[in-house]
Amino acid sequence: MNCGERKTAYIGMGSSLGNRLQFLQNALCSMHRSDQSIQVTGVSPVYETPHMGLTPEDSERYPPHFNAVARISSLLAPRQLLAELQLAEEKAGRQREQKWGPRTLDLDLLLYEGVQMHAPELTLPHPGLLQRAFVLLPLAALEPKLILPDGARLEEWLHKPIIKKQQAVQTRQQLHIPQYAEEM
Ligand code: AMP
């Protein structure tokens, strides 16, 4: 833990197998800790996006994804947080047989307040953040005024051709921010 100082971080969530909405909701619930080391403080709308790199003959093997972004307040340092996200993926029964294959749950640490790092096991901000519509759209819906550590403004990236040419449709599905018992 980082000595009691809470930091804001953003988590990219995706699911393309089974009850996709339930996998995303369960991920929020497993992130939200009773010891308050991780609190979920916001969640984006749910987007539906085709599997990345899909060719027409792949569409049955690779069902579309549900994607969303969560904002959290964390007492955990970035590597500890990543380890927790990987545990939540395992809990959701994620198999890693195929690198880009369908998955019950994929959790990425997109941003962690004040941290820029390049290590094989953790790159921050997440390198795909500005390239992938399924990350950028939900993140911008949740935090439209967000500015990245290098000064990039999310709202400007939304209009770039690389994002415009990708399909990502906002659904009517909703995720709920988990509550602590005393808040209910
Ligand atoms: P995947 O779950 O297939 O998207 O990739 C996970 C791998 O990427 C793991 O080996 C992580 O250690 C590594 N990785 C590097 N940076 C990040 C990040 N910001 N968020 C999540 N995984 C990351």
Side-chain angles (χ1 to χ4, degrees):
M1 298 221 190
N2 57 22
C3 300
E5 209 188 333
R6 304 203 74 92
K7 299 285 185 184
T8 299
Y10 294 89
I11 312 298
M13 309 189 292
S15 173
S16 66
L17 278 181
N19 188 335
R20 298 169 298 167
L21 192 68
Q22 193 63 57
F23 277 117
L24 298 187
Q25 186 61 54
N26 290 351
L28 288 176
C29 294
S30 69
M31 276 191 263
H32 200 69
R33 291 302 159 80
S34 52
D35 66 0
Q36 310 214 0
S37 56
I38 305 174
Q39 297 170 340
V40 177
T41 60
V43 66
S44 73
V46 177
Y47 286 73
E48 188 163 43
T49 63
H51 192 79
M52 217 168 58
L54 195 75
T55 60
E57 60 275 18
D58 283 339
S59 55
E60 269 189 25
R61 259 189 312 150
Y62 299 125
H65 294 238
F66 270 177
N67 293 101
V69 168
R71 182 180 58 235
I72 63 168
S73 161
S74 176
L75 283 175
L76 304 185
R79 282 190 173 85
Q80 294 173 311
L81 188 53
L82 180 65
E84 293 300 319
L85 300 181
Q86 290 171 345
L87 269 178
E89 288 178 340
E90 276 174 33
K91 239 171 81 183
R94 172 159 177 191
Q95 311 282 324
R96 288 183 180 271
E97 287 142 13
Q98 204 186 341
K99 185 162 169 45
W100 300 106
R103 66 277 310 265
T104 50
L105 184 64
D106 183 38
L107 297 176
D108 289 322
L109 181 48
L110 302 176
L111 287 162
Y112 186 104
E113 186 181 342
V115 177
Q116 292 185 73
M117 62 184 280
H118 261 281
E121 74 287 3
L122 183 59
T123 298
L124 286 170
H126 191 286
L129 198 159
L130 292 174
Q131 266 72 49
R132 298 175 180 171
F134 65 80
V135 177
L136 192 58
L137 268 66
L139 181 58
L142 177 63
E143 219 65 88
K145 298 287 169 207
L146 197 70
I147 298 175
L148 299 194
D150 66 357
R153 291 171 181 276
L154 278 198
E155 53 194 355
E156 286 173 16
W157 279 80
L158 288 174
H159 307 294
K160 304 260 180 193
I162 186 175
I163 297 299
K164 287 261 172 211
K165 70 179 187 206
Q166 297 174 46
Q167 275 180 52
V169 178
Q170 187 175 328
T171 70
R172 289 169 181 273
Q173 310 287 348
Q174 284 191 348
L175 293 165
H176 303 283
I177 299 174
Q179 304 286 308
Y180 293 109
E182 64 269 25
E183 295 171 355
M184 293 165 81

